[in-house]
């Protein structure tokens, strides 16, 4: 067999094994193109159902409060979730992070204290951030919503492309 043909097939084999050996989308397993292509319709359906969650948002920026509903005709159940969010600017000697979202999610029992419990959980976390990591923790805006924190983050991310999530806290834990 011609040496050029052998070298060509060896390089082809190495290239194909290298492409299939890398993990895709942050997973630890190899990326399978055919399987992911077949499941792409299921993935799109899952994302569409996730994004269609209704929200009732209360936004506070500089003392102004506005309420908007993405689907006002839908009623939100009293046993759903509520989410409180503060968008922060964090600064230390080494780091300067802007537009960082700190979210707290709590089960909605229909009481007005649910929102304050979620807000208190965020306040505790901000104190820990200031004590341990950052010299300056500045609140840019505060948002409270009926619904999950994931849906609220998607809603906020559409408005601000630079928004990053610090953490979604569980406010049900005391």
């Amino acid at each position: 067999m011609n040496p050029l043909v052998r070298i060509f097939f060896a390089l082809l084999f190495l290239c194909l094994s290298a492409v299939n050996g890398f993990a895709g989308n942050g997973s630890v397993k190899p990326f399978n193109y055919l399987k992911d292509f077949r499941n792409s319709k299921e993935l799109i359906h899952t994302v569409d159902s996730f994004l269609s969650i209704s929200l009732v948002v209360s936004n506070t920026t500089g003392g102004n409060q506005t309420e908007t509903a993405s689907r006002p005709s839908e009623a939100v159940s009293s046993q759903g979730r509520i989410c409180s969010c503060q968008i922060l600017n964090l600064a230390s000697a080494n780091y300067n992070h802007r537009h960082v979202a700190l979210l707290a999610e709590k089960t909605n029992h229909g009481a007005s204290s649910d929102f304050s419990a979620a807000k208190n959980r965020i306040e505790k976390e901000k104190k820990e951030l200031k004590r341990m990591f950052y010299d300056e923790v500045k609140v840019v805006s505060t948002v409270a919503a009926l619904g999950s924190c994931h849906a609220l983050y998607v809603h906020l991310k559409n408005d601000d492309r630079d928004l990053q999530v610090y953490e979604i806290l569980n406010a049900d834990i005391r």
Side-chain angles (χ1 to χ4, degrees):
M1 187 187 274
N2 192 350
L4 290 177
V5 174
R6 281 188 277 165
I7 291 173
F8 173 74
F9 281 119
L11 286 175
L12 181 66
F13 174 74
L14 287 174
C15 289
L16 289 176
S17 63
V19 167
N20 288 325
F22 290 113
N25 296 334
S27 68
V28 295
K29 62 183 179 190
F31 188 72
N32 188 349
Y33 294 104
L34 295 176
K35 181 181 174 189
D36 290 337
F37 181 73
R38 280 183 258 137
N39 293 337
S40 64
K41 290 182 182 180
E42 295 172 13
L43 177 66
I44 291 171
H45 178 66
T46 305
V47 170
D48 286 341
S49 65
F50 173 73
L51 293 177
S52 65
I53 297 171
S54 66
L55 286 176
V56 178
V57 178
S58 171
N59 186 4
T60 306
T61 306
N64 298 331
Q65 279 200 351
T66 60
E67 289 195 10
T68 60
S70 62
R71 291 186 181 180
S73 63
E74 292 183 10
V76 179
S77 69
S78 63
Q79 293 300 321
R81 307 291 287 168
I82 61 169
C83 182
S84 183
C85 173
Q86 287 188 358
I87 300 173
L88 308 171
N89 287 339
L90 306 170
S92 69
N94 298 329
Y95 298 105
N96 191 8
H97 301 289
R98 300 286 177 225
H99 301 278
V100 177
L102 183 60
L103 301 122
E105 191 172 67
K106 182 164 180 20
T107 304
N108 186 7
H109 298 291
S112 62
S113 63
D114 291 337
F115 280 106
S116 62
K119 185 178 177 184
N120 289 340
R121 180 67 179 102
I122 290 176
E123 293 298 327
K124 286 180 187 177
E125 188 68 22
K126 278 184 4 188
K127 286 179 186 176
E128 288 297 313
L129 280 172
K130 186 164 176 89
R131 186 175 68 84
M132 305 263 304
F133 302 110
Y134 296 101
D135 299 328
E136 180 184 342
V137 176
K138 182 180 176 188
V139 177
V140 176
S141 68
T142 303
V143 179
L146 290 171
S148 70
C149 283
H150 294 289
L152 178 62
Y153 173 70
V154 168
H155 179 73
L156 293 173
K157 185 71 174 178
N158 287 335
D159 296 337
D160 184 6
R161 287 285 184 208
D162 297 329
L163 188 66
Q164 301 172 0
V165 172
Y166 174 74
E167 190 172 357
I168 298 176
L169 306 166
N170 187 357
D172 289 328
I173 300 172
R174 296 189 187 248

